[in-house]
Amino acid sequence: MSTVTRAAAPDDERGAASSEIGGSHDLSTWATLKRGFQLSPELLRGLWVTVLLALFATIGKVLIPFVVQQATDHGILAEGGPDVDFVVRAVALAAGAIIFTGLAQYVVNVRLFKAAESGLATLRVTAFRHIHDLSVLTQSTERRGALVARVTNDVDTISMFVQFGGIMLLVSTAQVLVATILMAIYSPILAGVVYLCVIPLVVLITKFQPMLARAYGAVRVRVGDLLGAVSESIVGAVTIRAYGVEDRTQGRIDGAIEQHRVAAIRAQIRSVMAFVSGQAFGGVTTAIVLVVGTVLATHDRMTLGQLLAFLFLVNLFTQPVQQATEIFNELQNAVAGWRRVIGVIDTPADVSDPGEAGVRLPRGPITVDFEDVDFAYPGGDRVLQDVNLTFDPQSRIAIVGETGSGKTTLAKLLTRLMDPSEGRVLIDGVDLRDVAFDSLRRRIVMVPQEGFLFDQSLLENIRFGRPEAADEDIELAMTELGLDPWLAGLPLGLATQVGQRGESLSAGERQLVAIARAYLADPDLLVLDEATSAVDPATEVRIQRALEGLTRGRTSVAIAHRLSTAEAADVVVVVDKGRIVEVGHHAELVGAGGVYTRMHNSWAAQQR
Amino acid sequence: MTSATRPVERPRPSPAILRQGLRVIWTGIRQQQRMFAVAVVGSVLWASATVATAWAIGHVTETEVTPAIEAGEVTTGGLWTIFLVLLAVLLVNMTGVVLRRVAASIAGFNLQALYRQRVTRQYLRLPLSWHHAHPSGQLLSNAHADIEAAWQVFNPLPMAIGVIVMLVIAGGQMIAVDPFLALIGFLVFPGLFAANLVFQRFMAPRITKAQQLRAEVAEVAHESFEAGMLVKAMGREQEETDRFGRVTNDLRDSLIDVGRTRGVFEPVIEAIPVLGTLAVLAVGTARVASGDLTAADVVEVAYLFSILAFPVRALGWVLAEIPRSVVGYRRVDSVLQATGSMEYGEGQLPQTGPAHSRSEQVSYAYAEPAERAVLGADAPVETTTQTPVGPQRAMAIRDVTLDVPAGSTTALVGPTGAGKSTLTNLVLRLVDPDDGTVSLDGIDLRTVRKGGVPDVGTLVAQQTFMFDDPVRDNVTLGADLPDEVVWDALRTSRADGFVSGMPGALDAVIGERGGNLSGGQRQRIALARAIVRKPRLLVLDDATSAVDPAIEQDILGGLRESSEGMTVLVVAYRMATIQLADHIVYLEQGQVVDQGNHDELLARCQGYGDLVNAYAREAAERAAVAADEEPTR
């Protein structure tokens, strides 16, 4: 059932460097509820008023059959012929009770819906926020579709229970108590018989609960898998078509659909069994009470009327008990969803914001130091070792090296998307782990290779870099970056909608947007990770110049294959197999006969 | 934001919804006849047993309990009779409940599974242009929440049918007792039905809205999680949370609105049978007083009303589910009915030798967001492949003729956004052109059988997509290939080194987002994926952009060796890659500006020269600046 944990390495080899999103399978039902209510305080707010109103409505419901019975016994069957007046008075009274009960019921419903939906909305938002607070490594342990399920379907499963189930449970308990007292007054022996009959049901239900919990838990996991598989078919649409692997993809989805179907039916059958055992309890109890009651009555321990009245009380008692078995089913379903949401919320964020305690650094030129930094992915080999580097303020750094040598890891450590396994990274002499995120993100911005675009206009996508930027600022930025000619080629210019994930644009165009976005953010340290790899050379050169002209006063770190970037940099850092092998200016390194010389020769050969 | 820019469709309540709902139910019943029949049999058993329970208690009381009490003694046989009669009725009841509920849920989940299969088949069948027009989150929600909504009605449905059986029995009994009292019954139960109809008319638009908002919540979550790294890198967690919070709050308000409507109608619907009982009492008493009826008759009818009061609510549940079911089904159906899928012919492409690709005067424009459809909207879902070309639509490719001779290596060169990737998609029929024809070996791609083009031509896109699978499966994509072949392909793409270093090597699971692989590593696995298929036409769309130059040279060298029998179309910027090409086509703004070999283009095409010489010129200028600065130091 641990399909939620996906990673490059098998589970047993995973280190402690990053956390995985948990399912909180170990959390007991009670603990889950407690934590659930804690996370959604709205669920309990004003609950006592709702409970009182619900009790009032229940009393109304019990009152009506009573009035009907009174009207029958003392009205229609009155000695000396039917008493029409009495019946009319009773009927009027009952009608009044219906109106009050109905009003109370309405208020209860609305209050419950409000409390439930407000509480669950809070829960969704909390979980959503926490998923963003998890490190990129932790996020990547679960498929997107499954993550989405945690804030959508998993929460939806809870709603049924918190809307009706919880309050029904309270009201049912009250009804059971009232029935017990009345039964004990009528006949303590028969009341004892009823309670003896409950014992096997309680045993059965306690047996069923863990089974139900497992079954519903399995359904939740299957829903996650299902959405993961469907999401793959949507996000991977191009690849699937280009390789004609529709059948294989469909096979995987069908597998997930079938597993979900089987799990859902299994859970349903178990819940029917639980319900039927409640029903059996009700029926058998009635039969036994009638048998024992007959024996008691023949021994003059009770009258026929008392026996029949007692049967009515048995019904009053067994009905809520049966209902409780249903509510317990719903409870387990809700708990299964709750566990998954709580699982994500209680996953520790291994790269966490020091928050208020964090240092806020003033804006201005920035210094970066790497001190004895090592990094290993969980369960993987070390990808960076003994990194010691200093980037001076306002310098332009180029990081070069072969694919997989650890360049991107360096960038992720520098921007604190990940924390080093050993050593520390400092800006302006402060450990990154001590810098408040809002200060850190304002000062350091990274442009990754595959910049993500939202399904909005170009304008809105660029504004993401600085939400308060005016349209004019964005236009100005585009001009400063020399992107006007490109914009001119788009019929709608900045108003162009970029489509899902920016798919209406080419990869190169998406990179242009990502750069404009970062440029607009105006950080003190700009980290470009292959940010122009898909852009044509002429545009790239134009952008680079613009960035250079405008990055004076700020520090920039660029990771690039195109060594033109390195030639223009103040300092070139050469990474090879996770180690820094050379640091210096292009002019010094190019003739040094080391890794850089080799790289440069091969690059230069390509330019001819 | 997405939710604000797209109008949320809100169909007006219409009396037609019940008819549509019944049609959805009928569609479901037809597809699950056997299970549904079992459920109905179970329900009838349950309904009969429920009515029989009251009868059985009355019966044993009359024949066993009362005589025993009057006699002051009871026989063991008598006690057994009491117990067994009640037990027998109970067993029938329980059997009925089990059959009804289990079969109903199996029918419901079978339907859900069936429609999930159909919907996802559509997702895989519909063209990319359709995918561009529908947000992933919406599609995800469609495959889960909408299908669930459509078939949830099957849970209460069999019970409702049982209730109808009960009503018929009870109606008969009432008429037998007194047609006048029966009239009250015939007023009350249709009254209940009418109340439900009104209820639905209020509910339908609210539920439609809630369902749409549900999909939007999924959409925002999906997009935001996909953008996870960007959100982090820009420190926009709070803004994203606010965005998600807004749709979530809209959903909350909409669900509370649903709850309020429900809150009004539930007590009303519950009260109607009770009011009926009271009316029976009042009228009945008058009839008894006038001597038309006996008191026992009134009690019997009142009792019938009271035992029906609860089960009759099952009818209400079905009616309450109907708007949700209709809305869900409508949304599902709009995907199932979506046209604009690719049509395939029967044509076969030759299986050996390099392929000859030709695109003749092709044009292509992407769908603009204005054309994007909301699932299940009343307006027909438009066909997104052949939409008319409006003034607002950006033409990605205009009137392009591209000839890639068999066995050649042709390079596509042009500035960012020139339409190179679109052209590669057209060449392999990932999209169909709006105008013009694309052919392989002279055969129009539209006449080729399904799967024919991917068998022959393979695209390595700029942006790689990794499946949540081991390396091996990411290369073979399920084809049954020996490991040596996989390793050969990985060697050619220079991916063997890092793959063998991963824990588990070919068995290392990459993960949906490419796990811990760098962009260049992912590109090399994607290349191996293409190479292993030994395509007759290999299209590389800047497929080595993240690979460093030395390795790229290695890869291209390796490809050249093994590319006999292969035609290569390559989108490239790097001079070395371009120079590998026999023929170069230069594109600008979706049109072919010039073509020829490198020297020819350099001599006569300014744009081409500016592009390919950009680095060299830059380097020279830098050198010049450096030289100028030197003496002044």
Side-chain angles (χ1 to χ4, degrees):
Chain A
M1 244 190 272
S2 64
T3 35
V4 287
T5 59
R6 299 201 162 251
D11 286 8
D12 52 340
E13 285 182 64
R14 296 178 63 84
S18 100
S19 45
E20 283 174 51
I21 298 169
S24 287
H25 294 297
D26 46 339
L27 215 56
S28 72
T29 301
W30 188 241
T32 307
L33 285 177
K34 213 174 126 191
R35 183 85 180 103
F37 283 120
Q38 198 183 352
L39 287 167
S40 307
E42 294 90 340
L43 293 177
L44 295 179
R45 200 169 293 156
L47 186 67
W48 63 276
V49 178
T50 316
V51 170
L52 285 181
L53 282 167
L55 285 175
F56 175 72
T58 311
I59 291 168
K61 272 181 208 160
V62 177
L63 186 74
I64 291 161
F66 174 74
V67 171
V68 171
Q69 183 239 323
Q70 289 293 309
T72 311
D73 288 355
H74 305 295
I76 304 177
L77 303 176
E79 285 168 39
D83 183 347
V84 180
D85 277 356
F86 181 83
V87 171
V88 169
R89 274 204 307 280
V91 164
L93 182 69
I98 289 172
I99 290 170
F100 278 108
T101 312
L103 276 177
Q105 190 62 49
Y106 164 75
V107 178
V108 167
N109 284 349
V110 172
R111 288 180 64 90
L112 280 176
F113 262 100
K114 263 195 188 150
E117 293 308 331
S118 308
L120 295 184
T122 306
L123 187 66
R124 276 186 224 271
V125 174
T126 310
F128 176 90
R129 172 62 201 237
H130 194 76
I131 289 173
H132 273 305
D133 286 341
L134 294 172
S135 73
V136 282
L137 278 179
T138 312
Q139 284 177 359
S140 67
T141 59
E142 187 157 303
R143 292 194 279 182
R144 278 178 220 108
L147 277 181
V148 173
R150 301 230 188 208
V151 294
T152 56
N153 311 95
D154 288 339
V155 176
D156 291 341
T157 20
I158 306 171
S159 74
M160 273 297 273
F161 174 75
V162 291
Q163 276 168 11
F164 297 107
I167 198 102
M168 292 283 274
L169 213 54
L170 288 173
V171 171
S172 299
T173 312
Q175 199 176 325
V176 166
L177 283 177
V178 171
T180 304
I181 293 166
L182 291 176
M183 286 193 305
I185 293 170
Y186 269 85
S187 166
I189 298 177
L190 282 183
V193 169
V194 171
Y195 267 80
L196 278 179
C197 292
V198 181
I199 293 171
L201 180 70
V202 171
V203 171
L204 263 181
I205 285 190
T206 41
K207 263 211 149 65
F208 270 133
Q209 285 305 299
M211 278 171 62
L212 276 169
R214 273 199 304 280
Y216 282 118
V219 174
R220 295 327 307 156
V221 172
R222 294 301 170 215
V223 169
D225 285 353
L226 173 65
L227 292 184
V230 175
S231 159
E232 191 172 77
S233 79
I234 298 166
V235 181
V238 174
T239 307
I240 290 164
R241 278 160 185 74
Y243 287 80
V245 287
E246 287 91 345
D247 291 348
R248 172 171 181 267
T249 312
Q250 186 69 54
R252 290 150 69 104
I253 298 175
D254 286 354
I257 291 174
E258 179 60 15
Q259 284 189 323
H260 170 256
R261 187 186 72 93
V262 169
I265 290 176
R266 183 171 301 149
Q268 195 63 31
I269 289 178
R270 289 189 185 175
S271 86
V272 171
M273 291 311 149
F275 174 78
V276 167
S277 42
Q279 203 196 0
F281 153 75
V284 171
T285 306
T286 308
I288 292 177
V289 163
L290 199 55
V291 169
V292 176
T294 307
V295 176
L296 288 175
T298 52
H299 290 85
D300 288 333
R301 302 283 294 270
M302 68 193 310
T303 65
L304 179 61
Q306 281 173 329
L307 177 56
L308 291 181
F310 196 90
L311 278 183
F312 172 75
L313 290 177
V314 168
N315 196 35
L316 202 65
F317 180 86
T318 57
Q319 203 192 356
V321 171
Q322 278 186 48
Q323 212 160 37
T325 62
E326 283 281 76
I327 296 166
F328 276 125
N329 290 347
E330 229 156 60
L331 171 69
Q332 287 306 339
N333 196 5
V335 164
W338 237 327
R339 278 204 183 107
R340 283 176 54 86
V341 185
I342 291 171
V344 78
I345 291 175
D346 287 350
T347 301
D350 42 21
V351 178
S352 61
D353 186 357
E356 288 308 308
V359 179
R360 283 183 175 71
L361 297 165
R363 302 277 319 242
I366 203 167
T367 319
V368 179
D369 292 286
F370 281 74
E371 283 184 6
D372 303 320
V373 169
D374 278 17
F375 184 81
Y377 285 101
D381 291 336
R382 264 188 288 192
V383 291
L384 278 182
Q385 285 188 57
D386 306 326
V387 176
N388 281 289
L389 282 172
T390 298
F391 300 155
D392 292 330
Q394 307 185 9
S395 60
R396 285 168 295 155
I397 320 289
I399 300 178
V400 299
E402 288 187 0
T403 321
S405 57
K407 303 185 299 281
T408 297
T409 307
L410 213 53
K412 284 183 179 168
L413 293 176
L414 176 54
T415 49
R416 210 179 166 220
L417 289 175
M418 307 188 301
D419 282 334
S421 315
E422 305 275 340
R424 33 183 216 157
V425 182
L426 308 126
I427 57 169
D428 296 343
V430 180
D431 192 325
L432 276 186
R433 283 172 285 217
D434 298 330
V435 182
F437 269 17
D438 54 0
S439 172
L440 179 70
R441 301 301 183 210
R442 186 157 293 274
R443 300 202 66 199
I444 305 182
V445 163
M446 174 166 101
V447 185
Q449 192 171 20
E450 289 180 5
F452 184 89
L453 264 61
F454 293 90
D455 187 5
Q456 293 162 4
S457 67
L458 275 180
L459 193 75
E460 290 310 314
N461 267 292
I462 296 168
R463 208 196 303 274
F464 193 81
R466 180 148 57 94
E468 66 277 10
D471 290 4
E472 296 76 43
D473 299 337
I474 293 167
E475 283 160 18
L476 182 66
M478 296 306 273
T479 310
E480 286 175 347
L481 285 170
L483 294 176
D484 280 344
W486 169 60
L487 272 185
L490 300 169
L492 295 178
L494 281 173
T496 304
Q497 292 287 326
V498 302
Q500 289 273 306
R501 293 175 288 275
E503 277 166 3
S504 302
L505 302 181
S506 74
E509 290 174 308
R510 287 198 287 270
Q511 289 190 336
L512 297 183
V513 177
I515 286 173
R517 179 152 65 194
Y519 175 68
L520 189 71
D522 186 30
D524 295 325
L525 171 62
L526 183 62
V527 183
L528 301 164
D529 180 9
E530 299 279 358
T532 50
S533 61
V535 174
D536 73 76
T539 309
E540 189 191 15
V541 165
R542 216 160 51 229
I543 289 180
Q544 214 167 53
R545 286 207 179 152
L547 283 178
E548 266 170 41
L550 296 149
T551 48
R552 299 220 186 278
R554 80 182 72 176
T555 314
S556 73
V557 175
I559 295 173
H561 294 309
R562 296 180 186 175
L563 296 191
S564 54
T565 312
E567 287 174 6
D570 297 324
V571 179
V572 180
V573 175
V574 185
V575 190
D576 191 43
K577 300 191 181 70
R579 291 175 186 276
I580 309 296
V581 290
E582 287 171 292
V583 179
H585 189 266
H586 163 73
E588 304 159 28
L589 297 182
V590 74
V595 176
Y596 186 74
T597 311
R598 217 165 51 237
M599 289 179 70
H600 193 268
N601 288 345
S602 135
W603 185 76
Q606 283 197 312
Q607 303 310 308
R608 263 168 245 127
Chain B
M1 305 285 142
T2 33
S3 56
T5 50
R6 199 148 357 91
V8 172
E9 136 255 30
R10 223 182 142 155
R12 265 154 262 103
S14 80
I17 216 138
L18 180 66
R19 211 172 51 237
Q20 288 173 25
L22 292 177
R23 206 178 302 142
V24 172
I25 289 173
W26 182 238
T27 308
I29 290 176
R30 272 211 319 253
Q31 292 174 92
Q32 284 295 317
Q33 287 174 7
R34 196 173 310 164
M35 273 303 147
F36 190 73
V38 173
V40 170
V41 168
S43 187
V44 171
L45 281 181
W46 160 77
S48 324
T50 303
V51 178
T53 307
W55 167 85
I57 291 177
H59 177 74
V60 294
T61 308
E62 204 174 306
T63 59
E64 301 291 338
V65 180
T66 317
I69 294 173
E70 279 165 3
E73 60 176 354
V74 64
T75 61
T76 320
L79 291 179
W80 274 114
T81 311
I82 297 170
F83 187 73
L84 291 178
V85 166
L86 291 184
L87 196 67
V89 179
L90 175 67
L91 284 178
V92 174
N93 197 327
M94 281 167 63
T95 312
V97 169
V98 170
L99 286 180
R100 186 191 83 209
R101 290 185 57 163
V102 170
S105 77
I106 290 179
F109 286 123
N110 282 352
L111 282 168
Q112 286 190 20
L114 184 70
Y115 275 80
R116 288 203 175 107
Q117 287 172 3
R118 289 189 185 167
V119 160
T120 51
R121 274 185 173 67
Q122 277 293 86
Y123 290 173
L124 288 169
R125 196 176 70 84
L126 288 165
L128 290 175
S129 51
W130 187 86
H131 278 270
H132 288 314
H134 293 86
S136 330
Q138 291 260 354
L139 297 186
L140 216 51
S141 182
N142 190 254
H144 191 262
D146 288 339
I147 287 177
E148 199 173 74
W151 301 118
Q152 198 85 57
V153 67
F154 269 72
N155 282 334
L157 185 63
M159 180 168 177
I161 291 173
V163 168
I164 291 173
V165 173
M166 271 188 189
L167 282 178
V168 171
I169 300 173
Q173 267 177 295
M174 279 192 262
I175 293 172
V177 172
D178 179 30
F180 203 72
L181 286 184
L183 197 64
I184 297 175
F186 294 132
L187 283 176
V188 164
F189 294 108
L192 209 53
F193 197 70
N196 267 302
L197 279 187
V198 177
F199 173 51
Q200 282 168 53
R201 291 191 55 172
F202 278 89
M203 279 300 260
R206 288 175 171 80
I207 288 181
T208 307
K209 191 179 171 199
Q211 207 66 5
Q212 175 65 23
L213 284 168
R214 239 183 246 288
E216 267 169 39
V217 168
E219 184 186 330
V220 171
H222 197 271
E223 188 180 57
S224 192
F225 294 158
E226 263 191 281
M229 183 147 107
L230 172 69
V231 170
K232 238 178 238 308
M234 293 269 175
R236 289 284 173 276
E237 290 92 343
Q238 193 51 49
E239 285 79 357
E240 282 298 285
T241 307
D242 292 345
R243 178 159 85 107
F244 181 75
R246 277 193 296 276
V247 279
T248 302
N249 288 345
D250 285 350
L251 174 64
R252 176 198 64 199
D253 294 344
S254 152
L255 288 173
I256 291 175
D257 197 26
V258 167
R260 190 171 289 127
T261 313
R262 230 192 164 116
V264 172
F265 279 91
E266 259 192 8
V268 169
I269 287 168
E270 243 173 86
I272 291 175
V274 183
L275 289 173
T277 314
L278 295 178
V280 166
L281 278 181
V283 175
T285 312
R287 305 256 304 151
V288 174
S290 65
D292 292 323
L293 279 179
T294 67
D297 291 338
V298 181
V299 173
E300 191 180 340
V301 174
Y303 181 71
L304 278 174
F305 265 78
S306 68
I307 62 164
L308 285 175
F310 181 74
V312 156
R313 294 182 66 196
L315 285 180
W317 297 334
V318 168
L319 292 171
E321 280 293 337
I322 278 181
R324 208 161 94 86
S325 169
V326 169
V327 169
Y329 188 79
R330 207 187 274 168
R331 290 166 64 86
V332 172
D333 199 46
S334 73
V335 172
L336 296 182
Q337 300 302 324
T339 47
S341 67
M342 290 212 157
E343 298 300 325
Y344 296 95
E346 293 297 320
Q348 287 282 352
L349 290 168
Q351 297 300 309
T352 50
H356 168 216
S357 161
R358 186 172 171 83
S359 308
E360 190 92 43
Q361 294 188 307
V362 292
S363 296
Y364 183 81
Y366 285 97
E368 276 297 320
E371 294 169 15
R372 291 170 38 157
V374 172
L375 290 176
D378 278 337
V381 176
E382 47 220 299
T383 58
T384 36
T385 33
Q386 299 298 332
T387 34
V389 179
Q392 303 270 285
R393 280 165 39 105
M395 292 280 271
I397 286 291
R398 223 174 322 169
D399 212 16
V400 166
T401 297
L402 172 71
D403 195 81
V404 187
S408 74
T409 297
T410 299
L412 275 181
V413 181
T416 302
K420 303 180 297 291
S421 297
T422 308
L423 195 52
T424 61
N425 286 350
L426 285 164
V427 162
L428 290 176
R429 207 188 172 209
L430 287 172
V431 290
D432 276 332
D434 297 333
D435 276 310
T437 54
V438 181
S439 64
L440 270 179
D441 298 324
I443 300 167
D444 187 335
L445 293 187
R446 277 177 283 218
T447 66
V448 174
R449 69 172 173 83
K450 187 170 193 296
V453 177
D455 277 354
V456 168
T458 296
L459 169 78
V460 186
Q462 211 163 22
Q463 219 150 1
T464 51
F465 179 80
M466 293 285 128
F467 291 91
D468 193 13
D469 275 331
V471 172
R472 180 188 295 102
D473 294 41
N474 262 295
V475 174
T476 63
L477 294 183
D480 191 16
L481 295 170
D483 281 2
E484 305 88 76
V485 176
V486 175
W487 279 117
D488 276 347
L490 288 171
R491 242 188 308 281
T492 310
S493 70
R494 300 298 181 266
D496 52 332
F498 70 86
V499 169
S500 56
M502 287 161 72
L506 288 185
D507 292 315
V509 175
I510 293 185
E512 189 186 41
R513 274 157 286 195
N516 304 328
L517 298 179
S518 75
Q521 289 172 330
R522 286 205 301 267
Q523 281 191 337
R524 285 187 273 169
I525 289 182
L527 264 171
R529 182 190 283 170
I531 293 166
V532 85
R533 300 166 80 93
K534 301 201 174 20
R536 298 177 51 230
L537 170 63
L538 178 63
V539 180
L540 302 174
D541 182 6
D542 203 13
T544 47
S545 61
V547 177
D548 38 312
I551 294 180
E552 189 194 27
Q553 281 304 300
D554 267 9
I555 294 173
L556 293 174
L559 261 181
R560 231 183 145 76
E561 279 165 31
S562 64
S563 75
E564 263 172 69
M566 202 194 286
T567 306
V568 179
L569 176 63
V570 56
V571 174
Y573 294 128
R574 293 184 191 171
M575 186 80 95
T577 319
I578 296 171
Q579 283 179 346
L580 288 176
D582 310 312
H583 187 71
I584 299 162
V585 178
Y586 181 69
L587 285 176
E588 243 176 48
Q589 304 224 345
Q591 283 177 304
V592 174
V593 175
D594 203 347
Q595 47 188 312
N597 66 33
H598 180 64
D599 294 330
E600 290 165 9
L601 289 183
L602 219 45
R604 64 177 183 232
C605 179
Q606 158 114 43
Y608 178 78
D610 285 352
L611 195 81
V612 298
N613 285 330
Y615 295 144
R617 214 173 39 244
E618 170 78 356
E621 279 171 28
R622 272 185 206 287
V625 171
D628 282 351
E629 281 174 0
E630 207 61 39
T632 63
R633 273 196 192 165

